Amino acid sequence: MISIKSSSEIEAMRVAGHINALAHMAVRDAIRVGISTLELDAIAEKVIRENGAEPSFLGLYGFPNSACISVNDCLIHGIPDHYRLKEGDIVSIDLGSKYHGFHGDSARTWAVGEISEEAKKLIKVTRQSFFEGIKMARLGNRVGDISHAIGTYAKSFGYGVPLDYTGHGVGSALHEAPAVPNDGKAGTGVRLKAGMTLAVEPMINMGSARTYARADGWYVKTYDGKLCAHYENTFLITEDEPEIFTLLDDEK
Ligand code: MG
Ligand code: MG
Protein backbone atom coordinates (compact mmCIF):
# COMPACT_ATOMS: atom_id res chain seq x y z
CA MET A 1 0.00 0.00 0.00
CA ILE A 2 1.57 3.28 -1.09
CA SER A 3 0.35 6.33 0.78
CA ILE A 4 -0.64 9.54 -0.99
CA LYS A 5 0.00 12.47 1.33
CA SER A 6 -2.54 15.18 2.13
CA SER A 7 -1.54 18.84 1.94
CA SER A 8 -1.10 19.06 5.73
CA GLU A 9 1.06 15.93 5.73
CA ILE A 10 3.12 17.36 2.90
CA GLU A 11 3.61 20.56 4.89
CA ALA A 12 4.90 18.56 7.88
CA MET A 13 7.29 16.70 5.58
CA ARG A 14 8.51 19.98 4.11
CA VAL A 15 9.43 21.17 7.60
CA ALA A 16 10.96 17.81 8.57
CA GLY A 17 13.06 17.87 5.41
CA HIS A 18 14.21 21.42 6.03
CA ILE A 19 15.27 20.60 9.59
CA ASN A 20 17.14 17.55 8.33
CA ALA A 21 18.97 19.75 5.82
CA LEU A 22 19.92 22.21 8.56
CA ALA A 23 21.33 19.35 10.63
CA HIS A 24 23.40 18.19 7.65
CA MET A 25 24.82 21.66 7.15
CA ALA A 26 25.80 21.89 10.82
CA VAL A 27 27.57 18.53 10.59
CA ARG A 28 29.27 19.54 7.34
CA ASP A 29 30.55 22.73 8.96
CA ALA A 30 31.86 20.80 11.98
CA ILE A 31 33.77 18.17 10.02
CA ARG A 32 37.51 18.50 10.57
CA VAL A 33 40.50 16.29 11.26
CA GLY A 34 40.32 15.01 14.85
CA ILE A 35 36.59 15.29 15.49
CA SER A 36 34.95 12.02 16.55
CA THR A 37 31.89 10.57 14.88
CA LEU A 38 30.11 10.69 18.28
CA GLU A 39 30.72 14.45 18.38
CA LEU A 40 29.18 14.79 14.91
CA ASP A 41 26.21 12.72 16.04
CA ALA A 42 25.66 15.08 18.99
CA ILE A 43 25.71 18.11 16.67
CA ALA A 44 23.10 16.55 14.39
CA GLU A 45 20.85 15.61 17.31
CA LYS A 46 21.11 19.10 18.82
CA VAL A 47 20.05 20.83 15.59
CA ILE A 48 17.17 18.40 15.01
CA ARG A 49 15.82 18.88 18.56
CA GLU A 50 16.40 22.65 18.69
CA ASN A 51 14.18 22.97 15.64
CA GLY A 52 11.33 21.06 17.25
CA ALA A 53 11.88 17.68 15.57
CA GLU A 54 13.03 14.30 16.84
CA PRO A 55 15.85 12.15 15.43
CA SER A 56 14.09 9.50 13.33
CA PHE A 57 16.88 6.94 13.63
CA LEU A 58 17.26 6.98 17.43
CA GLY A 59 15.92 3.61 18.59
CA LEU A 60 14.75 2.56 15.12
CA TYR A 61 15.48 -1.19 14.77
CA GLY A 62 17.54 -0.68 17.95
CA PHE A 63 19.89 1.91 16.45
CA PRO A 64 21.59 3.65 19.41
CA ASN A 65 22.21 7.15 17.97
CA SER A 66 20.72 9.94 15.86
CA ALA A 67 23.03 9.75 12.85
CA CYS A 68 24.35 6.84 10.83
CA ILE A 69 28.00 7.77 10.26
CA SER A 70 29.94 5.57 7.87
CA VAL A 71 33.63 6.20 7.12
CA ASN A 72 35.57 5.21 3.96
CA ASP A 73 34.73 1.58 3.13
CA CYS A 74 31.62 1.69 5.34
CA LEU A 75 28.63 2.27 3.08
CA ILE A 76 25.74 2.71 5.50
CA HIS A 77 24.54 2.00 9.05
CA GLY A 78 27.79 2.98 10.77
CA ILE A 79 27.31 3.62 14.50
CA PRO A 80 28.92 6.80 15.86
CA ASP A 81 31.87 6.01 18.13
CA HIS A 82 35.19 7.38 19.39
CA TYR A 83 36.86 7.16 15.97
CA ARG A 84 38.44 10.51 15.12
CA LEU A 85 38.32 11.58 11.48
CA LYS A 86 41.63 11.63 9.64
CA GLU A 87 42.92 13.71 6.75
CA GLY A 88 41.79 12.02 3.52
CA ASP A 89 38.81 10.17 5.00
CA ILE A 90 35.39 10.38 3.39
CA VAL A 91 32.46 10.29 5.77
CA SER A 92 28.85 9.48 4.93
CA ILE A 93 26.21 11.02 7.19
CA ASP A 94 22.64 9.70 7.05
CA LEU A 95 20.04 11.62 9.07
CA GLY A 96 16.31 11.51 9.70
CA SER A 97 14.10 14.13 11.36
CA LYS A 98 10.52 13.54 12.49
CA TYR A 99 8.25 16.59 12.69
CA HIS A 100 4.55 16.45 13.59
CA GLY A 101 4.62 12.72 12.90
CA PHE A 102 6.36 12.84 9.49
CA HIS A 103 9.92 12.09 8.47
CA GLY A 104 12.60 13.68 6.33
CA ASP A 105 15.47 11.37 5.35
CA SER A 106 18.67 12.43 3.60
CA ALA A 107 22.33 11.49 3.32
CA ARG A 108 25.55 13.14 2.21
CA THR A 109 29.19 12.06 1.85
CA TRP A 110 31.77 14.69 2.83
CA ALA A 111 35.54 14.98 2.48
CA VAL A 112 37.80 15.30 5.53
CA GLY A 113 40.56 17.72 4.58
CA GLU A 114 42.23 16.94 1.27
CA ILE A 115 41.03 13.72 -0.36
CA SER A 116 42.19 11.79 -3.43
CA GLU A 117 40.96 12.68 -6.91
CA GLU A 118 39.33 9.28 -7.19
CA ALA A 119 37.41 9.83 -3.94
CA LYS A 120 36.24 13.25 -5.15
CA LYS A 121 34.99 11.68 -8.35
CA LEU A 122 33.13 8.94 -6.47
CA ILE A 123 31.33 11.51 -4.28
CA LYS A 124 30.44 13.65 -7.30
CA VAL A 125 29.13 10.73 -9.37
CA THR A 126 27.11 9.37 -6.44
CA ARG A 127 25.46 12.77 -5.97
CA GLN A 128 24.80 13.15 -9.70
CA SER A 129 23.32 9.66 -9.91
CA PHE A 130 20.54 10.89 -7.57
CA PHE A 131 19.83 13.76 -9.94
CA GLU A 132 19.87 11.41 -12.94
CA GLY A 133 17.28 9.31 -11.12
CA ILE A 134 15.05 12.19 -10.13
CA LYS A 135 14.81 13.34 -13.76
CA MET A 136 12.59 10.28 -14.16
CA ALA A 137 10.45 11.11 -11.09
CA ARG A 138 7.51 12.30 -13.20
CA LEU A 139 3.86 11.41 -13.30
CA GLY A 140 3.18 8.27 -15.28
CA ASN A 141 6.76 6.99 -15.06
CA ARG A 142 7.51 3.96 -12.91
CA VAL A 143 9.87 3.31 -10.02
CA GLY A 144 12.02 1.20 -12.35
CA ASP A 145 12.67 4.27 -14.52
CA ILE A 146 14.31 6.00 -11.55
CA SER A 147 16.31 2.88 -10.66
CA HIS A 148 17.45 2.36 -14.23
CA ALA A 149 18.65 5.96 -14.56
CA ILE A 150 20.67 5.79 -11.31
CA GLY A 151 22.24 2.43 -12.07
CA THR A 152 23.05 3.17 -15.70
CA TYR A 153 24.79 6.41 -14.77
CA ALA A 154 26.82 4.99 -11.86
CA LYS A 155 27.86 1.86 -13.75
CA SER A 156 29.05 3.96 -16.71
CA PHE A 157 31.96 4.97 -14.44
CA GLY A 158 32.76 1.34 -13.68
CA TYR A 159 31.34 1.60 -10.15
CA GLY A 160 29.53 -1.15 -8.29
CA VAL A 161 25.88 -0.65 -7.37
CA PRO A 162 24.78 -2.73 -4.38
CA LEU A 163 21.19 -3.94 -4.60
CA ASP A 164 20.78 -5.28 -1.05
CA TYR A 165 19.79 -1.82 0.21
CA THR A 166 17.31 0.50 -1.47
CA GLY A 167 15.56 3.84 -1.42
CA HIS A 168 11.97 3.79 -0.20
CA GLY A 169 8.70 5.54 0.34
CA VAL A 170 8.74 7.82 3.38
CA GLY A 171 6.02 9.48 5.45
CA SER A 172 4.60 8.71 8.87
CA ALA A 173 7.00 5.75 8.84
CA LEU A 174 10.62 6.28 7.90
CA HIS A 175 10.51 3.28 5.59
CA GLU A 176 7.36 2.81 3.53
CA ALA A 177 6.54 1.11 0.22
CA PRO A 178 7.68 1.16 -2.51
CA ALA A 179 11.32 0.08 -2.44
CA VAL A 180 13.40 2.11 -4.91
CA PRO A 181 16.47 0.06 -5.92
CA ASN A 182 19.55 1.83 -7.28
CA ASP A 183 19.47 -0.17 -10.49
CA GLY A 184 16.75 -1.94 -12.42
CA LYS A 185 14.72 -2.23 -15.54
CA ALA A 186 13.05 0.83 -17.04
CA GLY A 187 9.28 0.60 -17.41
CA THR A 188 8.82 -1.74 -14.46
CA GLY A 189 7.47 -1.33 -10.94
CA VAL A 190 4.94 0.96 -9.35
CA ARG A 191 3.59 3.87 -11.37
CA LEU A 192 4.37 7.29 -9.86
CA LYS A 193 1.43 9.39 -8.66
CA ALA A 194 1.20 12.95 -7.35
CA GLY A 195 1.37 12.99 -3.56
CA MET A 196 3.79 10.06 -3.25
CA THR A 197 6.86 10.89 -1.18
CA LEU A 198 10.07 8.98 -1.79
CA ALA A 199 13.59 8.86 -0.36
CA VAL A 200 15.92 7.98 -3.21
CA GLU A 201 19.43 7.16 -2.09
CA PRO A 202 22.21 6.00 -4.39
CA MET A 203 24.81 3.94 -2.47
CA ILE A 204 27.75 3.50 -4.80
CA ASN A 205 30.96 1.46 -4.48
CA MET A 206 34.21 2.34 -6.19
CA GLY A 207 34.88 -1.37 -6.73
CA SER A 208 32.67 -4.42 -6.53
CA ALA A 209 28.99 -4.12 -5.58
CA ARG A 210 29.45 -6.80 -2.94
CA THR A 211 28.98 -5.75 0.69
CA TYR A 212 28.90 -7.41 4.11
CA ALA A 213 27.60 -6.33 7.50
CA ARG A 214 28.74 -6.91 11.06
CA ALA A 215 27.07 -9.92 12.71
CA ASP A 216 24.51 -7.64 14.40
CA GLY A 217 23.57 -6.13 11.03
CA TRP A 218 25.20 -2.69 11.48
CA TYR A 219 28.27 -1.31 9.66
CA VAL A 220 27.56 -2.35 6.08
CA LYS A 221 30.96 -2.30 4.33
CA THR A 222 32.37 -2.96 0.89
CA TYR A 223 33.65 -6.50 0.60
CA ASP A 224 36.79 -5.43 -1.26
CA GLY A 225 37.60 -2.64 1.22
CA LYS A 226 37.37 0.07 -1.44
CA LEU A 227 35.65 3.41 -0.87
CA CYS A 228 31.91 3.98 -1.21
CA ALA A 229 29.55 6.95 -1.07
CA HIS A 230 25.92 7.76 -0.29
CA TYR A 231 23.59 10.58 -1.34
CA GLU A 232 19.91 10.82 -0.49
CA ASN A 233 16.99 13.24 -0.57
CA THR A 234 13.31 13.04 0.33
CA PHE A 235 11.00 14.44 -2.34
CA LEU A 236 7.38 14.73 -3.44
CA ILE A 237 5.98 13.60 -6.78
CA THR A 238 3.90 16.47 -8.18
CA GLU A 239 2.02 17.26 -11.39
CA ASP A 240 5.23 18.93 -12.54
CA GLU A 241 8.83 18.73 -11.28
CA PRO A 242 9.42 16.80 -8.06
CA GLU A 243 9.79 18.96 -4.95
CA ILE A 244 12.87 18.09 -2.91
CA PHE A 245 12.32 18.63 0.81
CA THR A 246 15.84 18.01 2.11
CA LEU A 247 17.96 20.25 -0.08
CA LEU A 248 18.70 23.87 0.84
CA ASP A 249 19.00 26.44 -1.95
CA ASP A 250 22.65 27.12 -1.14
CA GLU A 251 23.47 23.43 -1.58
CA LYS A 252 21.96 23.04 -5.07
MG1 MG B 1 18.68 7.95 5.02
MG1 MG C 1 16.50 6.38 3.46
Side-chain angles (χ1 to χ4, degrees):
M1 173 70 187
I2 296 168
S3 62
I4 299 296
K5 274 70 177 183
S6 69
S7 57
S8 64
E9 291 171 340
I10 288 166
E11 187 49 34
M13 291 192 69
R14 228 174 241 135
V15 177
H18 185 75
I19 293 168
N20 218 47
L22 293 176
H24 268 295
M25 293 302 97
V27 171
R28 178 194 65 180
D29 293 345
I31 286 175
R32 57 180 163 77
V33 172
I35 197 165
S36 74
T37 55
L38 265 175
E39 288 170 313
L40 295 178
D41 175 70
I43 290 164
E45 178 166 0
K46 184 164 182 277
V47 174
I48 291 168
R49 292 196 188 279
E50 276 177 357
N51 284 280
E54 291 162 44
S56 307
F57 297 175
L58 186 61
L60 185 69
Y61 315 124
F63 190 74
N65 292 82
S66 297
C68 287
I69 304 186
S70 308
V71 180
N72 292 334
D73 63 334
C74 189
L75 179 65
I76 49 169
H77 302 169
I79 298 175
D81 59 18
H82 294 288
Y83 177 78
R84 294 190 178 279
L85 297 177
K86 294 203 291 276
E87 180 85 20
D89 282 346
I90 63 172
V91 57
S92 296
I93 312 286
D94 193 356
L95 298 175
S97 296
K98 185 181 188 185
Y99 182 83
H100 288 192
F102 286 82
H103 297 274
D105 184 11
S106 55
R108 301 286 185 271
T109 300
W110 306 115
V112 182
E114 201 51 46
I115 62 170
S116 67
E117 288 305 316
E118 61 172 5
K120 281 182 197 166
K121 183 178 163 193
L122 175 70
I123 291 172
K124 193 173 163 203
V125 169
T126 302
R127 180 183 194 277
Q128 185 58 33
S129 66
F130 168 85
F131 289 98
E132 294 300 318
I134 204 175
K135 284 179 192 167
M136 298 296 144
R138 296 304 183 104
L139 284 193
N141 282 356
R142 294 177 183 272
V143 163
D145 296 310
I146 298 175
S147 302
H148 178 74
I150 293 169
T152 301
Y153 183 76
K155 288 189 298 185
S156 75
F157 294 86
Y159 294 152
V161 181
L163 294 177
D164 299 339
Y165 305 93
T166 69
H168 49 91
V170 54
S172 58
L174 184 71
H175 296 129
E176 298 185 348
V180 186
N182 290 314
D183 196 12
K185 214 168 168 338
T188 63
V190 170
R191 202 175 280 284
L192 302 175
K193 294 198 183 89
M196 284 183 183
T197 44
L198 302 175
V200 166
E201 49 182 312
M203 296 163 245
I204 307 296
N205 293 353
M206 193 176 278
S208 147
R210 191 170 170 196
T211 61
Y212 70 102
R214 203 168 75 171
D216 61 7
W218 302 113
Y219 294 97
V220 174
K221 293 186 168 192
T222 59
Y223 193 77
D224 59 15
K226 293 188 177 171
L227 296 177
C228 46
H230 189 193
Y231 186 91
E232 175 183 32
N233 283 307
T234 295
F235 61 87
L236 170 72
I237 303 290
T238 76
E239 303 283 338
D240 190 29
E241 287 202 3
E243 180 186 342
I244 303 179
F245 294 149
T246 48
L247 188 62
L248 300 178
D249 285 341
D250 70 355
E251 212 203 327
K252 280 177 186 164

